[in-house]
Structure formats: structure tokens, C-alpha cells
Amino acid sequence: MPLDMPRTASAETSDNDLVFQIIAGNTPAFEILVRRYNPRLFRVARSILKQDADAEDALQEAYIHAFLHLAAFRAEALFSTWLTRIVINESLGRIRKNRQWNNVIDLHENISPTDIAEGATMRVTHHSEPEHQVLQTEIRHLIEQKLDTLPPLLRLVFILRAIEEIPSTEVAALLEVPEATVRTRFFRARQLMQEALSREIEAAYGDVFAFDGERCDKIVAAVMARLH
């Protein structure tokens, strides 16, 4: 097969092969990359911009930029890292343009490099029962709300490490910071998330096995009826 002829692309095709095919003229193969990285990249953009619509707009622009500059990609680095960096730059650019924050995120901000061991990442067990699905949705919404309260730098690292489960070495390369800085930010983000979620749980203790309203009225009525 001539090198300049695109091969058949599928969901199993590697990133680098897809990039080669797209550059060679197989434009439809780009859809595979978009679908492959949509979940991760939306979360990254959302962690920076804090609005779904803004994150979607940034994601679209980042994909267009990546497509137009695929020839600049060097296979020495992971394609996922290269693409994620484009999304981060696009998101940060929108913040600078719109002045949404007084202080723009500085990915190189110094944080005291304490050697803190990383704990296990947050994992969620999936259940098929409707009541579990409802509970998981409520938990997810709560986590999203608490994530939005994290400082921007910590929120981004938490998304990359805990949600996307990207290794610290890759996150460090992506953000162009020392790996120790990634570990420190992740530890602090997890600590803040745990504290915030713990407060929510403690506030709900008083509602455990709640018995009021119609249920209370029903028992009252039944008891009083038997007393007469």
C-alpha cells in the first residue's frame, strides 16, 4: 500500500496511526479521535472555565486548532498530552480574553514541594438498579459542586489525576511542572474534597431514617384509632 494512501481507521486504531491517516487525507478518521478524547477534554476545559457551554465552545475550537496543526505533532510525546495541552491553552486564552478571573491561572505557580505520598484515587462502583443510579447521580452532582469550589490549579490536577486517572508523570509533562508539584496539588485537592464532602455528610446525619410527614401522620392516626 502506498504511504500516501490512508488506511482503514477504526476505534482500535492507535492515536499515531490515526494522525498519520488524517495527514494523508483521511479526514473522517478525525472523528475517532474526537470521540475518543471528548470525555477527558470536556472535563479539562470544564475544570478551567466552570461553565458547560464555555467548555464546549473551547473544546470545539481546540479540536479545530489541533486538526489544522496535526503536522506539527511530534510522535516523541503522547498525542493525548499534546491534544490536552491545546485544550488547556484554549481555555486559559478565553479566561484572559474575558477577564473572568482577576488572577489568570499560572500553571507554573510555585507550591511548597512537600514530599507527600499519594493515596488511592476516587473510584465509584457502578450498579444497575434504578435506586443506585439515582444515588450515583446525586453523588456525582455533589462532587461536581464541590469541585467548582476548589482553587483552579487544584481543580485541574484533581480532574486529571482522580477523574481521568492520568499518571503523575504525564500530568507533570502536560502542565510543565515538576512531578512533586503535581503530587502536592493532588494531595491538597483530595484533602479539600474530602473535607467538603464530610461536612455535607455530617449535615445530613439528622435526616437519617427520617420519619415525619405522611409516615408520621399514618402511625399517629393508627395508634389513636386503636385507643378509642
Side-chain angles (χ1 to χ4, degrees):
M1 179 183 298
L3 292 178
D4 59 348
M5 292 296 294
R7 294 167 290 174
T8 302
S10 70
E12 288 71 38
T13 306
S14 70
D15 289 352
N16 288 354
D17 282 346
L18 287 172
V19 170
F20 173 81
Q21 292 187 42
I22 296 164
I23 293 175
N26 186 9
T27 300
F30 192 66
E31 180 179 342
I32 299 175
L33 289 176
V34 173
R35 292 186 180 278
R36 179 175 295 173
Y37 287 105
N38 255 345
R40 171 194 291 191
L41 299 181
F42 172 78
R43 287 169 176 153
V44 168
R46 175 63 175 73
S47 71
I48 296 173
L49 295 168
K50 297 185 67 174
Q51 298 292 332
D52 287 3
D54 292 341
E56 291 175 4
D57 289 344
L59 196 55
Q60 291 182 41
E61 291 301 319
Y63 278 132
I64 297 301
H65 180 88
F67 178 82
L68 295 176
H69 295 84
L70 276 180
F73 169 65
R74 297 292 177 264
E76 292 87 357
L78 290 173
F79 177 76
S80 59
T81 299
W82 182 79
L83 187 57
T84 305
R85 184 72 200 187
I86 291 176
V87 173
I88 290 175
N89 287 340
E90 175 65 29
S91 301
L92 292 178
R94 287 169 179 265
I95 289 176
R96 295 186 182 99
K97 181 178 179 180
N98 298 328
R99 297 181 180 178
Q100 293 176 342
W101 290 330
N102 291 328
N103 296 314
V104 175
I105 299 177
D106 179 6
L107 297 180
H108 301 276
E109 176 184 313
N110 291 323
I111 294 181
S112 179
T114 306
D115 189 13
I116 304 175
E118 294 180 70
T121 58
M122 298 174 65
R123 296 179 182 273
V124 177
T125 302
H126 298 281
H127 300 275
S128 58
E129 295 84 352
E131 60 270 23
H132 284 296
Q133 293 178 356
V134 172
L135 178 60
Q136 295 294 343
T137 298
E138 293 176 350
I139 293 174
R140 175 172 58 82
H141 287 160
L142 178 60
I143 291 174
E144 290 173 348
Q145 292 171 7
K146 298 309 174 184
L147 273 172
D148 278 343
T149 67
L150 289 180
L153 284 172
L154 302 186
R155 184 169 61 245
L156 178 57
V157 169
F158 187 89
I159 289 291
L160 294 172
R161 287 289 293 112
I163 309 300
E164 292 302 323
E165 299 183 342
I166 300 175
S168 293
T169 52
E170 185 178 341
V171 174
L174 176 63
L175 303 182
E176 298 179 343
V177 297
E179 187 177 352
T181 300
V182 172
R183 291 198 301 269
T184 301
R185 293 177 182 176
F186 182 44
F187 176 86
R188 182 56 180 157
R190 287 178 62 249
Q191 184 180 50
L192 291 174
M193 285 292 291
Q194 290 170 355
E195 291 174 355
L197 294 173
S198 293
R199 286 193 294 270
E200 291 287 343
I201 293 173
E202 290 174 0
Y205 282 165
D207 296 327
V208 170
F209 298 138
F211 196 83
D212 52 14
E214 293 182 2
R215 298 175 68 195
C216 178
D217 293 339
K218 180 180 178 180
I219 296 297
V220 170
V223 170
M224 298 308 297
R226 294 179 65 179
L227 294 179
H228 287 298

